[in-house]
């Protein structure tokens, strides 16, 4: 079969509109955000160039910044923990369920729900028992009254309550990705392995895991980058409270930019978030490149 030969200028012509759109909607706003981080500006009036003062304040004088960075990274770490669970569920569905599409779709349902709906639903679940909170009522019915908490009002547990909601919401998303990757593995490979005596967990270890590693990488990168940028669920459920206990970088950036009217400082926070996402992406790619070389 003859390969279709296309001139390079034709390829460039077709790529150019998307490239221009990307530059206009992504690259230029990032540069503008970096520049705005060098200004003392409320977003409306005149601005004053102050150089790196916003960044200096951010790193050395802002009491909310470093705890929000820690919670953001913790959010990303927890998000990675659900990927092996999603892979395990995908393996079980593909192996033991005759018509798996229904189950995969069921797991995916929370993903398509509005974040506002999910936030309000889980706020109701986390309510105190006196206000009809289902979780606390179940704990009391099970004789575990000492385990009851004000789940999103207690600074010690509020952020972990949000972690659980985020994991619940996006588990089905990663189950779908992993299930699709497993379905693309040829059944002939498993048949050949079964003849050689490798099946079950052994087949998963030496066949499934190495072959879905690129798909696993996609899930990890999407999950981590999405967690680093987490904003909507936190704003719906706690708005960063109580007492900044659930603030992450994106919510702190919003509060500084639009509530405190420190647009220049908020832009500095946004710049830090962009750099953080880039660094984490590079590190993840390096780790998976090493894994792919090891299992190639």
């Amino acid at each position: 079969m003859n390969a279709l030969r296309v001139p390079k200028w034709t390829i460039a012509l077709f790529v150019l509109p998307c490239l221009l759109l990307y530059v206009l909607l992504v690259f230029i706003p990032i540069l503008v955000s970096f520049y705005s981080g060098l200004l003392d500006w409320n977003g409306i009036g005149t601005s004053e160039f102050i150089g790196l003062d916003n960044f200096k304040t951010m790193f050395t004088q802002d009491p909310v910044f470093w705890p929000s960075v820690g919670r953001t990274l913790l959010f990303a770490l927890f998000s990675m923990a659900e990927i092996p669970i999603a892979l395990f569920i995908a393996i079980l569905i593909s192996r033991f369920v005759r018509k798996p599409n229904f189950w995969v779709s069921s797991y995916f349902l929370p993903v398509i729900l509005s974040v506002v709906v999910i936030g309000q639903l889980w706020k109701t679940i986390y309510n105190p028992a006196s206000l009809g909170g289902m979780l606390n009522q179940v704990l009391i019915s099970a004789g575990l009254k000492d385990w009851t908490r004000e789940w999103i009002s207690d600074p010690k547990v509020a952020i972990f309550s949000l972690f659980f909601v985020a994991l619940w919401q996006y588990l089905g998303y990663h189950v779908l990705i992993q299930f699709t990757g497993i379905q693309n593995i040829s059944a002939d490979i498993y048949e050949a392995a079964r003849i050689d005596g490798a099946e079950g967990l052994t087949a998963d270890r030496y066949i499934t895991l190495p072959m879905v590693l690129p798909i696993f990488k996609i899930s990890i990168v999407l999950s981590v980058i999405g967690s680093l940028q987490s904003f909507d669920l936190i704003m719906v459920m706690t708005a960063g409270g109580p007492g900044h206990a659930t603030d992450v970088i994106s919510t702190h950036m919003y509060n500084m930019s639009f509530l405190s009217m420190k647009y220049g400082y908020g832009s500095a926070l946004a710049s830090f978030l962009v750099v953080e996402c880039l660094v984490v992406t590079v590190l993840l790619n390096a780790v998976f490149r090493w894994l792919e070389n090891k299992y190639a």
Side-chain angles (χ1 to χ4, degrees), residues 22-60:
Y22 177 82
V23 170
L24 289 174
L25 297 182
V26 178
F27 191 68
I28 290 180
I30 289 175
L31 294 180
V32 172
S33 180
F34 273 102
Y35 175 73
S36 298
L38 305 176
L39 305 176
D40 181 11
W41 186 32
N42 62 7
I44 300 176
T46 58
S47 61
E48 178 186 355
F49 184 83
I50 58 173
L52 298 176
D53 285 357
N54 282 328
F55 293 93
K56 181 180 177 181
T57 300
M58 179 175 65
F59 289 123
T60 61

Side-chain angles (χ1 to χ4, degrees), residues 53-74:
D53 285 357
N54 282 328
F55 293 93
K56 181 180 177 181
T57 300
M58 179 175 65
F59 289 123
T60 61
Q61 300 177 24
D62 187 347
V64 179
F65 173 71
W66 285 114
S68 69
V69 171
R71 283 186 288 268
T72 302
L73 296 176
L74 193 60

Side-chain angles (χ1 to χ4, degrees), residues 30 72-73 76 221-230 249-250 269-285:
I30 289 175
T72 302
L73 296 176
V221 172
L222 290 176
S223 179
V224 170
I225 299 303
S227 298
L228 293 177
Q229 299 173 349
S230 56
I249 296 176
S250 56
L269 290 167
S271 301
F272 175 85
L273 182 58
V274 170
V275 173
E276 182 183 40
C277 290
L278 289 174
V279 170
V280 170
T281 302
V282 170
L283 292 176
L284 287 175
N285 283 329

Side-chain angles (χ1 to χ4, degrees), residues 244-263:
H244 299 291
T246 58
D247 256 330
V248 293
I249 296 176
S250 56
T251 59
H252 186 39
M253 175 188 67
Y254 173 84
N255 292 332
M256 290 292 101
S257 299
F258 302 108
L259 299 184
S260 300
M261 298 301 292
K262 297 179 180 179
Y263 190 82

Side-chain angles (χ1 to χ4, degrees), residues 8 13 23 32 50 52-53 58-59 83 87 103 107 139 153-155 159 186-187 202 216 218-219 247 253 261 264 267:
K8 292 183 179 180
L13 186 62
V23 170
V32 172
I50 58 173
L52 298 176
D53 285 357
M58 179 175 65
F59 289 123
I83 309 301
L87 178 59
W103 292 100
Y107 278 108
L139 290 174
S153 300
D154 186 346
I159 190 65
S186 174
T202 304
F216 198 82
I218 293 173
S219 282
D247 256 330
M253 175 188 67
M261 298 301 292
S267 296

Side-chain angles (χ1 to χ4, degrees), residues 170-233:
Y170 288 105
L171 178 64
Y173 180 72
H174 297 290
V175 168
L176 176 61
I177 294 176
Q178 302 303 318
F179 176 77
T180 304
I182 293 172
Q183 292 294 103
N184 287 330
I185 301 175
S186 174
D188 295 338
I189 300 176
Y190 289 105
E191 288 294 334
R194 190 175 294 112
I195 294 173
D196 292 334
E199 57 182 341
L201 293 177
T202 304
D204 289 331
R205 177 182 177 185
Y206 293 103
I207 298 175
T208 306
L209 292 180
M211 297 195 72
V212 300
L213 191 60
I215 308 299
F216 198 82
K217 171 187 174 181
I218 293 173
S219 282
I220 289 287
V221 172
L222 290 176
S223 179
V224 170
I225 299 303
S227 298
L228 293 177
Q229 299 173 349
S230 56
F231 173 77
D232 45 7
L233 182 66

Side-chain angles (χ1 to χ4, degrees), residues 73-124:
L73 296 176
L74 193 60
F75 217 131
L77 186 63
F78 269 81
S79 71
M80 287 192 293
E82 74 176 327
I83 309 301
I85 299 174
L87 178 59
F88 179 69
I89 293 173
I91 291 174
L92 292 180
I93 292 176
S94 62
R95 180 175 296 167
F96 298 110
V97 178
R98 181 169 297 179
K99 295 182 179 180
N101 290 339
F102 170 77
W103 292 100
V104 175
S105 300
S106 299
Y107 278 108
F108 193 76
L109 278 177
V111 181
I112 64 177
L113 291 178
S114 167
V115 175
V116 176
V117 173
I118 291 175
Q120 294 300 325
L121 170 66
W122 279 93
K123 283 177 70 175
T124 304

